Each structure stands twice: as C-alpha cells, then as structure tokens.
C-alpha cells in the first residue's frame, strides 16, 4: 500500500510539471507569508468531515461549481444583496450546493492563524476540496495557490455554464471543452462522484424512465424516491460513498450510475469514454493520477492573481 501511495504522489507531481500553470500561482505561495495556513485549513476540514462525512463531497463540489463559472475566483461564495444577485440561487446551486458555513469557519481560523487577511477565499475553496478528497482516501495533489477573490458573480453564467445531471454525453463534453478541458478531464473529474449524495429530483427521471439502468438498482432507489414527493430524500452517488475510490466506475459498467449524466459516460461500446471508464474501474492508480492532474488543471481556470480582484475579509461579501 505504501508503494502504491508513493507511486501516486510521484505520478501526480510529474503530471503537475507538464500541466500549463498560471505563472503567478505556486504551491508554496503561503510558505513564508503564513506557514500555518494550509495546516489550519486541513484541521477545519477534518473536523467538518468527522462531524458529517458528506461534507467532504460538498466542499469538492463547491470548488467545481466555483471554477466552472468565470474561473476559480470564489464568486460562488458571495451572498445576494439589495443591488446584487449572485450565483448561490442559480438553478444548479439553489438548495443544492452547500458547505458555505465550513468555508466561513476556515476563513476565520486562517485569519487568526495568519494574524491578518492574507489567504483568499478562492484558495481556501481549492485547498478544502483537495483535503476533502485526501481525507476520504483519495490522492493528495499539489494545489497551486495565489488566487485572488472576485468582486462580482454571475447568476446568468451559473445557469448557463454548469452541467446538469440530466445532460447527455455531447452536452457534457461540450461544457467541459468550453472551459478548456477535454474528454479525459470529463471522465476523471466525474469520478468525484465517488463520494457524496444526490437528491431525489436529480435522479428521479433516470430510475423510472432510463433504459440503460440495472432494474434491481432502479427498484431499490425507487423505494426512497417516489414518482412525486421525496424532494429532499438522498441516495449515495456510488456504492462506497464515504470512501474516495474507483467504485464509481465499476458502478457505471454495471449500469448502476445514479445520475443520467453519470451513466452517459459508459455506453458499453468501444468509445473513448468507455475505454477510460474501463481503465479507471480496474486501475485505481491511473484514476488517482488522472483525477489529480485534472483537478490541478481545473483549478487554474481563469484565476485572478497579482493585483487583480481582492482578498476578501469575509468570503460572503466584497470588502
């Protein structure tokens, strides 16, 4: 096991070396400024996951939903005001994205540890996502740091840019390509559904109407997700929802993907997507390596750095 972990770390670091990186970001950004920053983030994340395992998946999803709307700039964290409508109430986020209180707790703890406001909310979200994955059994990839926080957000772009759980394969791939990501990124990052839960409305149509689903699996989910009602009932996204592993891909091959968008990655043919799913289902090291590389790549999307944006004192509002 130690050999596997060391191989994954080596591969991830090697992959990071060949991924285009924003020249103003570095994993060591806070090393001299506040060496306590990253350990402090990890401590709060660990406590949050100990209190509620699902929170790890929620923090990972926060990072994804932040990055896919005009870049990894913490815009998702901004609350609405009398003169401003942010991203929290957009359809893909409303009553769905969670973990904001944990980010607030991290921000307060980091400001105390650093004796000042030096760590951006965007960086906190990125590191919290990585720590969540790692604490639940996944890889510990290097997070590029030095992001700055946006002073605005976009309700409309959140509605337009975030993939839906009802999306077909072509829509999913187009959504990722519009962000500069590719098919491998799509399949690897979808493996983030190795952890977490989904609410009934997001998979109801699949378990009652899709044909590419194991009937026994569908029937088991119908017990907790009726044709009407059950809005806040949840089901795990894979069979080992508290562990970040490659079970998600094994479930897809067995036609047990919970979301329509998940199962779209595996059609049981010779497509490139199918080949990636098959590879990850049998090679957890390959999945961990590719997931890490794709997370680093996604984390560099349209970041603010240098003198751009700001470092928010409170992640919910601009300074």
């Amino acid at each position: 096991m130690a050999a596997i972990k060391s191989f994954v770390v080596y591969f991830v670091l090697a992959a990071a070396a060949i991924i285009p990186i924003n020249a103003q970001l570095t994993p060591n950004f806070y090393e001299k400024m506040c060496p306590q920053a990253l350990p402090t983030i990890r401590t709060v994340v660990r406590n949050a996951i100990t209190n509620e395992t699902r929170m790890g998946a929620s923090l990972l999803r926060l990072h994804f939903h932040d990055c896919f709307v005009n870049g990894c700039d913490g815009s998702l964290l901004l609350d609405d005001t009398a003169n401003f409508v942010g991203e929290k109430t957009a359809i893909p986020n409303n009553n769905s994205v969670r973990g904001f209180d944990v980010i607030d707790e991290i921000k307060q703890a980091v400001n105390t540890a650093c004796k000042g406001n030096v760590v951006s909310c965007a960086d906190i979200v990125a590191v919290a996502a990585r720590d969540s994955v790692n604490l639940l059994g996944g890889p510990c990839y290097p997070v590029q740091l030095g992001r700055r926080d946006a002073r605005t957000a976009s309700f409309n772009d959140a509605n337009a840019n975030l993939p839906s759980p009802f999306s077909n394969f072509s829509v999913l791939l187009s959504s990722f390509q519009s962000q500069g990501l590719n098919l491998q990124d799509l399949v690897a990052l979808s493996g983030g559904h190795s952890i977490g839960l989904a609410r009934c409305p997001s998979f109801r149509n699949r378990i009652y109407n899709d044909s590419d689903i194991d009937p026994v699996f569908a029937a088991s989910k119908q017990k907790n997700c009726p044709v009407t009602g059950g809005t806040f009932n949840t089901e795990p996204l894979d069979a080992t929802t508290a562990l970040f592993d490659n079970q998600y891909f094994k479930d897809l091959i067995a036609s047990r993907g919970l979301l329509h968008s998940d199962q779209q990655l595996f059609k049981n043919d010779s497509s490139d997507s199918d080949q990636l799913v098959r590879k990850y289902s049998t090679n957890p090291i390959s999945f961990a390596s590719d997931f890490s590389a794709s997370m680093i790549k996604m984390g560099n999307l349209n970041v603010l750095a240098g003198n751009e944006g700001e470092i928010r004192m409170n992640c919910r509002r601009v300074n």
Side-chain angles (χ1 to χ4, degrees):
M1 182 62 70
I4 291 176
K5 288 183 178 178
S6 63
F7 179 80
V8 170
V9 170
Y10 170 79
F11 194 98
V12 169
L13 291 172
I18 62 174
I19 296 171
I21 300 296
N22 185 301
Q24 299 182 70
L25 301 187
T26 168
N28 304 318
F29 188 82
Y30 298 108
E31 193 171 85
K32 294 182 179 179
M33 190 185 313
C34 181
Q36 300 86 9
L38 269 60
T40 300
I41 295 172
R42 189 174 183 88
T43 296
V44 178
V45 171
R46 181 188 288 109
N47 291 340
I49 292 174
T50 299
N51 291 334
E52 182 194 13
T53 304
R54 181 188 180 191
M55 187 53 67
S58 299
L59 293 172
L60 174 59
R61 190 160 180 251
L62 264 183
H63 185 40
F64 179 87
H65 280 231
D66 182 37
C67 290
F68 259 59
V69 182
N70 302 321
C72 310
D73 58 6
S75 59
L76 174 57
L77 307 177
L78 291 172
D79 285 342
D80 293 354
T81 69
N83 303 311
F84 168 81
V85 178
E87 298 165 17
K88 288 183 177 179
T89 55
I91 292 172
N93 295 330
N94 195 30
N95 293 320
S96 177
V97 173
R98 56 199 297 274
F100 300 109
D101 290 345
V102 175
I103 298 300
D104 292 340
E105 184 180 351
I106 294 172
K107 180 63 173 174
Q108 184 175 8
V110 168
N111 281 3
T112 298
C114 297
K115 297 181 173 59
N117 184 39
V118 297
V119 181
S120 69
C121 300
D123 274 351
I124 287 173
V125 171
V127 175
R130 187 275 309 278
D131 287 348
S132 294
V133 167
N134 183 234
L135 289 167
L136 290 172
C140 187
Y141 54 88
V143 179
Q144 298 294 313
L145 300 168
R147 297 169 189 79
R148 305 266 291 181
D149 298 322
R151 294 190 176 98
T152 187
S154 177
F155 174 88
N156 291 333
D157 288 344
N159 279 323
N161 294 0
L162 290 166
S164 159
F166 314 110
S167 296
N168 290 329
F169 178 79
S170 60
V171 175
L172 292 170
L173 183 58
S174 177
S175 175
F176 273 67
Q177 289 175 334
S178 71
Q179 301 287 348
L181 303 173
N182 57 32
L183 173 62
Q184 180 170 297
D185 298 319
L186 166 61
V187 178
L189 290 174
S190 294
H193 285 175
S194 168
I195 53 176
L197 309 173
R199 291 193 300 123
C200 172
S202 66
F203 60 86
R204 178 185 283 122
N205 188 65
R206 169 155 171 75
I207 62 175
Y208 286 100
N209 298 315
D210 279 6
S211 59
D212 58 344
I213 188 169
D214 171 31
V216 174
F217 175 77
S220 70
K221 301 306 176 185
Q222 290 169 6
K223 294 176 182 178
N224 192 39
C225 183
V227 175
T228 58
T231 300
F232 294 100
N233 293 355
T234 60
E235 286 290 327
L237 286 163
D238 83 349
T240 56
T241 188
L243 180 65
F244 192 96
D245 58 12
N246 65 335
Q247 181 64 43
Y248 168 83
F249 300 103
K250 298 176 183 178
D251 289 349
L252 296 187
I253 292 174
S255 298
R256 288 176 166 241
L258 183 64
L259 305 179
H260 176 82
S261 56
D262 287 333
Q263 197 61 54
Q264 286 289 294
L265 301 180
F266 186 80
K267 299 289 189 63
N268 199 23
D269 56 24
S270 59
S271 67
D272 291 340
S273 179
D274 269 29
Q275 291 180 44
L276 283 167
V277 170
R278 291 186 188 279
K279 180 176 76 168
Y280 296 154
S281 73
T282 59
N283 192 332
I285 292 178
S286 180
F287 166 52
S289 301
D290 289 355
F291 177 83
S292 299
S294 292
M295 285 295 289
I296 295 168
K297 186 176 177 182
M298 184 186 75
N300 291 324
L301 293 177
N302 299 319
V303 297
L304 302 175
N307 294 320
E308 300 174 309
E310 64 182 17
I311 299 177
R312 288 184 218 136
M313 178 66 73
N314 183 327
C315 291
R316 292 176 181 262
R317 59 176 180 263
V318 297
N319 293 340

